[in-house]
């Protein structure tokens, strides 16, 4: 059976092999109050995206090129959404240029990578003194160091070929000091512990990846219908190191489980006594180091799994410097923060979500049923003119209109919400061998997103989960929502991408699955892995050692009585804080500090409760959730502690820290 594509308002006719024409449905886009009703399709056939007359067929469904949890029937929502998008694009305002994406050559690509990883002084004019990077390199795992070394070698060869005048150090010299350190993990423990930790979890991983689907079933059941298996996600050991050990497992056992992983495991994080660190908990200087390490770790993980991480760069884009739709996120936030200081997501984005929720999240087909195309176009124009003036009439916006406007807002961003640099890497997640590794890669990619993109993505995923929570009435399961939202996040119109039907089909199945993972595991994805936080701590410790050495030399030159100073300082500190006691301060809230005895069971929540129970001062007016306990200094810049942090364990990890109660910065 083939489909003849139609223009809006025309009856869709299917030419059936039997010779009888079959009316399938109608597509309306007349504006006014009529809803644009998408045509219904069956099986794997769809309208041809490129022409209004050409007959086309979807390529045969190929399980080898798509995720096993999706089937022909469940893909229908994706293709319907794609048709709606293409119809919407016909009504889009012209004049916005496509972003020009520069494909860097190998040398340029690796040079850019090293800059982003904070290692630009390993080559070029500053290469004569790469000492600044030596501290950083000393904290890397073996797989991370291998990823760095590979790129330094490539850049070195490229610069020599181009006869650059810069000094290019020999790679063997750069990494010679690191070889001993590579025999151990960043926290000093032997890498044998990686194998031990991983083998402890392996049985659960095997159960999670093999269970749930009868071999006789032709169509896999949808993930939300499957009994969830619970699997620990290891955040203490480098993901790439875990992947190395995973590859050592029997290939035969891996083959037996391949194709059966229809259920998504219910991953959980084992409790960490020193506290879970989430994005937003660290000071900017430490978060910068986290991002550099995340890039190196992601690259190492992909390479261990036989994949290549290639970044793209947008070098040209004609973008608006004001307005709502088609405006860069950073520009939107700058103009919004002048109206609402501290806002982290665009006001129009917040308002559209609010409008959808005002209509009730129980509406059947929410997000799937589009608003009328002409009405959406008119609403866009009216919003552009009246939104910031506060004169726009939101009562005129129907719930399905608001949902269409929300998706349009995401598509119209000059660069994808998932960022131009990492869009391909997000798409490539589907090709990783296991759900655990897909989750690990997504975790690192979320960390790497620019702040504005990450905050907006977080707000979007939280909203989508609220929609899914009402699936019994709105009929929008996580699979349906993933299908509808995937093309809006992964098919950025500004890229001007053109692809074959087969490529489009493969991309559809893959991106829908990645969208599914983003929604299902969103709480885990905003966690910073402990092994990366430990690497940051080690970097800070090593940097402080170098600073202290430099200071000692300076003090000697100044003939300063260093010993007397240290003795006085030590005496003061010992008298101030007895052993086994921490002093907690709240400088912006209280003039007095609290001395708290450390016990095995004392948690951060207990410290906060004690502060809030005070009968005088500002503490009386505060509530839980308005202030937090921070670990400041020592081997970390600043870290907001979660309630379940055991204070004695953390004190042993960072005995030189100060403990401060304050509100989170906006």
């Amino acid at each position: 059976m083939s489909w003849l594509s139609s223009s809006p308002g025309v009856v869709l006719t299917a030419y059936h092999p039997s010779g009888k024409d079959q009316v399938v449905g109608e597509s309306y886009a007349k504006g006014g109050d009529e809803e644009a009703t998408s045509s219904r399709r069956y099986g794997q056939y769809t309208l041809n995206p490129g022409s209004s007359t050409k007959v086309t067929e979807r390529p045969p469904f190929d399980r080898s090129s798509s995720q096993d949890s999706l089937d022909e029937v469940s893909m229908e929502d994706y293709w319907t959404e794609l048709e709606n998008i293409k119809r919407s694009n016909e009504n889009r305002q012209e004049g916005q240029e496509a972003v020009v994406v520069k494909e860097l050559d190998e040398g340029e690509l690796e040079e850019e990578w090293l800059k982003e990883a904070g290692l630009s002084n390993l080559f070029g004019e500053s290469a004569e003194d790469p000492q600044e990077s030596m501290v950083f390199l000393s904290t890397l795992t073996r797989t991370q160091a291998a990823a760095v070394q590979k790129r330094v070698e490539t850049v070195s060869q490229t610069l020599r070929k181009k006869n650059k005048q810069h000094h290019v150090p020999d790679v063997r010299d750069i990494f010679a000091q690191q070889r001993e350190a590579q025999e151990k993990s960043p926290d000093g423990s032997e890498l044998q512990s990686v194998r031990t930790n991983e083998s402890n979890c392996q049985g659960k991983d095997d159960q999670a990846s093999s269970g749930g689907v009868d071999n006789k079933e032709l169509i896999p059941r949808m993930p939300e219908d499957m009994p969830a298996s619970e699997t620990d996600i290891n955040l203490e050991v480098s993901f790439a190191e875990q992947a190395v050990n995973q590859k050592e497992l029997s290939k035969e056992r891996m083959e037996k489980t391949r194709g059966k992983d229809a259920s998504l495991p219910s991953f959980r994080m084992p409790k960490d006594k020193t506290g879970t660190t989430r994005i937003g908990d660290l000071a900017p200087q430490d978060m910068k180091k986290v991002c550099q390490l995340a890039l190196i770790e992601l690259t190492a993980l992909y390479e261990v799994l036989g994949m290549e991480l290639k970044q793209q760069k947008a070098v040209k884009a004609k973008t608006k410097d004001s307005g709502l739709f088609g405006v860069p996120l950073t520009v939107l936030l700058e103009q919004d923060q002048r109206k609402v200081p501290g806002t982290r997501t665009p006001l129009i984005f917040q308002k559209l979500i609010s409008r959808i929720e005002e209509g009730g999240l129980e509406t059947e087909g929410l997000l799937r049923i589009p608003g009328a195309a002409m009405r959406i176009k008119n609403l866009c124009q009216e919003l552009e003119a009246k939104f910031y003036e506060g004169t726009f009439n939101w009562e005129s916006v129907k719930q399905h209109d608001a949902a269409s406007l929300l998706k349009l807002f995401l598509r119209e961003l000059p660069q994808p919400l998932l960022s131009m640099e990492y869009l391909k890497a997000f798409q490539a997640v589907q090709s990783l061998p296991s759900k655990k590794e897909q989750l690990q890669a997504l975790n690192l990619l979320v960390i790497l997103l620019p702040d504005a993109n990450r905050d907006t993505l977080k707000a979007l995923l939280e909203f989508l989960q609220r929609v899914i929570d009402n699936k019994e009435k709105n009929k929008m399961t996580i699979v349906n929502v993933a299908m509808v939202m995937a093309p809006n996040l992964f098919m950025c119109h500004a890229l001007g991408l053109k692809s074959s039907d087969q490529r489009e089909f493969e991309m559809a199945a893959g991106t829908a699955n990645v969208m599914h993972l983003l929604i299902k595991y969103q709480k885990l994805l905003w966690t910073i892995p402990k092994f990366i936080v430990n690497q940051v701590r080690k970097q800070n410790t090593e940097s402080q050692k170098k600073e202290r050495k430099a200071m000692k030399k300076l003090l000697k030159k100044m003939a300063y009585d260093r010993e007397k100073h240290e003795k006085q300082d030590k005496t003061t500190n010992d008298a101030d804080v007895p052993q086994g006691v921490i002093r907690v301060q709240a400088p912006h809230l209280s003039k007095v500090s609290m001395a708290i005895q450390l016990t095995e069971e004392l948690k951060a929540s207990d410290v906060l409760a004690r502060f809030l129970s005070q009968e005088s001062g500002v503490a009386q007016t505060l509530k839980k959730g308005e202030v937090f306990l921070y670990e400041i200094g020592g081997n970390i810049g600043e870290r907001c502690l979660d309630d379940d942090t055991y204070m004695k364990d953390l004190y042993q990890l960072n005995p030189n820290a100060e403990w401060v109660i304050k509100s989170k910065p906006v």
Side-chain angles (χ1 to χ4, degrees):
M1 175 164 52
S2 299
W3 297 97
L4 187 63
S5 177
S6 79
S7 58
V10 178
V11 175
L12 300 177
T13 306
Y15 296 101
H16 195 272
S18 65
K20 296 180 180 179
D21 295 352
Q22 295 181 342
V23 177
V24 178
E26 295 182 56
S27 176
Y28 298 98
K30 299 178 182 177
D33 292 331
E34 297 177 65
E35 297 297 333
T37 306
S38 8
S39 60
R40 306 296 292 175
R41 289 155 297 105
Y42 300 91
Q44 60 223 29
Y45 303 96
T46 187
L47 297 178
N48 176 42
S51 169
S52 61
T53 56
K54 185 179 176 183
V55 176
T56 186
E57 282 191 2
R58 278 283 148 209
F61 185 80
D62 179 8
R63 291 188 193 280
S64 66
S65 63
S66 64
Q67 291 294 314
D68 45 52
S69 61
L70 300 177
D71 55 59
E72 298 95 326
V73 177
S74 68
M75 293 300 296
E76 184 178 352
D77 285 339
Y78 184 98
W79 301 120
T80 303
E81 181 67 16
L82 203 57
E83 290 168 21
N84 294 334
I85 290 172
K86 286 170 182 174
R87 276 200 298 273
S88 171
N89 286 346
E90 293 173 5
N91 292 294
R92 186 168 57 84
Q93 292 181 356
E94 299 299 327
Q96 187 171 11
E97 291 183 8
V99 174
V100 176
V101 179
K102 183 180 179 183
E103 293 291 342
L104 304 174
D105 64 34
E106 191 175 31
E108 291 175 321
L109 194 68
E110 314 303 353
E111 210 170 301
E112 195 66 34
W113 186 94
L114 286 167
K115 286 178 182 176
E116 282 199 41
L119 296 168
S120 58
N121 57 355
L122 291 181
F123 64 92
E125 295 176 347
S126 59
E128 293 183 8
D129 184 25
Q131 290 301 314
E132 186 180 328
S133 295
M134 289 306 172
V135 169
F136 187 94
L137 293 172
S138 70
T139 68
L140 301 184
T141 64
R142 288 183 297 183
T143 49
Q144 290 173 346
V148 173
Q149 184 166 351
K150 178 181 176 181
R151 278 145 189 82
V152 172
E153 287 174 347
T154 302
V155 171
S156 299
Q157 291 169 5
T158 303
L159 292 177
R160 288 193 179 99
K161 284 179 185 177
K162 292 180 179 178
N163 295 318
K164 294 270 186 176
Q165 296 302 309
H166 307 319
H167 172 71
V168 181
D170 194 301
V171 174
R172 290 169 295 183
D173 296 336
I174 295 174
F175 285 89
Q177 300 174 31
Q178 315 311 131
R179 289 193 180 112
E180 287 186 14
Q182 288 174 17
E183 296 300 320
K184 295 186 176 184
S185 60
D187 61 357
S189 59
E190 296 293 334
L191 279 170
Q192 180 62 35
S193 65
V194 176
R195 291 184 172 82
T196 305
N197 290 342
E198 197 57 22
S199 61
N200 289 340
C201 299
Q202 197 56 53
K204 294 179 182 178
D205 288 344
D206 291 341
Q207 293 170 13
S209 63
S210 64
V213 180
D214 192 329
N215 287 333
K216 296 179 181 178
E217 291 185 22
L218 297 177
I219 298 177
R221 295 159 65 192
M222 289 299 96
E224 66 262 28
D225 296 331
M226 300 297 299
S229 51
E230 204 165 62
T231 307
D232 284 346
I233 186 78
N234 189 342
L235 299 179
E236 297 192 15
V237 178
S238 158
F239 297 157
E241 296 290 344
Q242 292 181 47
V244 168
N245 288 280
Q246 180 77 15
K247 288 178 74 174
E248 295 175 3
L249 296 174
S250 166
K251 289 184 180 179
E252 182 182 350
R253 182 167 59 176
M254 295 294 288
E255 287 299 323
K256 285 180 181 179
T257 62
R258 191 176 297 279
K260 297 184 182 181
D261 191 13
S263 64
L264 292 182
S266 180
F267 286 111
R268 68 177 182 187
M269 290 184 295
K271 288 292 183 183
D272 177 10
K273 284 200 162 188
T274 59
T276 300
T277 307
R278 296 183 63 78
I279 294 171
D281 286 349
L282 296 177
Q285 66 268 27
D286 282 341
M287 192 61 199
K288 182 179 179 181
K289 295 171 186 174
V290 166
C291 290
Q292 292 168 347
L293 288 163
L295 175 59
I296 297 172
E297 177 65 18
L298 181 67
T299 306
L301 176 63
Y302 272 46
E303 290 183 352
V304 166
L305 298 172
M307 296 174 63
E308 191 173 6
L309 179 67
K310 281 199 172 183
Q311 295 166 263
Q312 299 181 124
K313 286 291 178 185
V315 294
K316 180 185 177 183
K318 180 183 177 182
T319 58
K320 297 161 63 178
D321 56 8
S322 63
L324 299 174
F325 297 89
V327 180
L329 275 177
T330 50
V331 174
L332 268 175
L333 285 172
E334 282 175 11
Q335 63 188 25
D336 287 352
Q337 285 167 355
R338 288 194 287 269
K339 291 186 172 292
V340 183
T343 188
R344 299 179 67 89
T345 56
L347 296 179
I348 181 63
F349 179 81
Q350 295 177 36
K351 184 59 183 177
L352 288 171
I353 288 177
S354 174
R355 183 62 184 162
I356 295 169
E357 293 187 319
E358 285 170 10
L361 296 180
E362 298 177 350
T363 304
E364 187 169 338
L366 189 59
L367 297 177
R368 184 176 63 223
I369 298 175
M374 286 304 298
R375 189 166 68 243
I376 296 303
K377 181 180 179 180
N378 293 335
L379 285 170
C380 281
Q381 294 171 349
E382 197 175 344
L383 277 165
E384 292 280 10
K386 299 180 179 179
F387 178 73
Y388 285 116
E389 293 178 1
T391 58
F392 181 77
N393 179 20
W394 283 99
E395 295 301 319
S396 66
V397 182
K398 296 184 178 183
Q399 191 178 36
H400 292 309
D401 293 341
S404 291
L405 287 167
L406 178 69
K407 292 185 288 186
L408 179 66
F409 171 82
L410 295 171
R411 295 196 306 274
E412 290 285 295
L413 289 172
Q415 294 194 30
L417 183 63
L418 299 178
S419 82
M420 185 68 71
E421 289 80 1
Y422 297 108
L423 185 64
K424 280 189 175 180
F426 273 99
Q427 293 170 347
V429 165
Q430 58 158 326
S431 302
L432 298 178
S434 73
K435 290 291 185 290
K436 183 182 75 173
E437 286 155 347
Q438 290 172 9
L439 175 60
Q440 291 169 337
L442 285 176
N443 182 198
L444 296 169
L445 282 165
V446 166
I447 290 171
L448 286 168
L449 286 176
D451 291 346
N453 298 59
R454 193 195 306 120
D455 292 337
T456 304
L457 177 63
K458 187 173 189 290
L460 175 66
L461 294 177
E462 289 171 347
F463 163 68
L464 296 180
Q465 186 58 56
R466 294 195 294 274
V467 173
I468 294 162
D469 290 341
N470 290 272
K471 64 185 177 183
E472 297 301 326
K473 293 191 176 179
N474 62 31
K475 310 302 180 188
M476 294 299 290
T477 66
I478 191 169
V479 170
N480 299 133
V481 172
M483 290 290 172
V484 168
M485 295 305 299
N488 292 284
L489 261 69
F490 286 93
M491 296 190 68
C492 176
H493 79 82
L495 293 175
L497 294 176
K498 292 183 180 179
S499 58
S500 65
D501 284 345
Q502 178 65 40
R503 170 64 185 145
E504 194 174 75
F505 187 80
E506 292 172 2
M507 181 177 168
T511 56
N513 270 286
V514 174
M515 192 74 224
H516 190 157
L517 295 172
L518 285 169
I519 298 170
K520 182 175 176 65
Y521 298 123
Q522 57 184 279
K523 290 184 179 178
L524 290 173
L525 296 179
W526 264 256
T527 303
I528 302 175
K530 184 178 180 179
F531 72 89
I532 289 182
V533 177
N534 284 346
Q535 286 180 296
V536 171
R537 289 184 187 276
K538 186 171 182 182
Q539 281 184 38
N540 291 338
T541 300
E542 294 300 319
S543 295
Q544 289 164 9
K545 285 180 182 177
K546 288 183 177 293
E547 288 172 6
R548 281 196 294 270
K549 285 182 181 178
M551 182 60 71
K552 284 179 181 178
K553 289 181 181 178
L554 180 63
L555 293 176
K556 284 180 180 178
K557 288 179 182 179
M558 296 172 64
Y560 189 86
D561 189 358
R562 180 169 47 83
E563 290 184 7
K564 181 179 179 182
H565 171 75
E566 287 181 351
K567 185 177 180 181
Q568 289 175 343
D569 188 50
K570 187 175 180 182
T571 304
T572 303
N573 288 337
D574 288 346
D576 190 34
V577 184
Q579 191 170 5
V581 174
I582 59 171
R583 188 165 293 284
V584 180
Q585 299 174 325
H588 301 295
L589 304 171
S590 176
K591 293 181 179 179
V592 296
S593 60
M594 294 188 301
I596 297 181
Q597 179 72 46
L598 291 173
T599 64
E600 296 291 338
E601 300 302 319
L602 182 72
K603 295 183 181 181
S605 57
D606 301 324
V607 176
L608 280 171
R610 195 173 304 181
F611 173 77
L612 294 173
S613 66
Q614 294 181 102
E615 297 180 356
S616 60
V618 183
Q620 282 184 306
T621 63
L622 296 171
K623 297 178 182 177
K624 186 178 179 182
E626 294 179 342
V627 290
F628 302 87
L629 180 60
Y630 280 79
E631 164 196 9
I632 298 178
N635 55 34
I636 203 79
E638 180 175 296
R639 175 172 170 253
C640 181
L641 305 183
D642 77 75
D643 284 348
D644 290 330
T645 302
Y646 285 83
M647 297 306 297
K648 188 172 183 179
D649 292 85
L650 182 57
Y651 175 79
Q652 291 169 349
L653 178 66
N654 190 8
N656 295 320
E658 294 180 356
W659 313 97
V660 177
I661 292 174
K662 62 175 185 173
S663 57
K664 263 193 174 182
V666 179

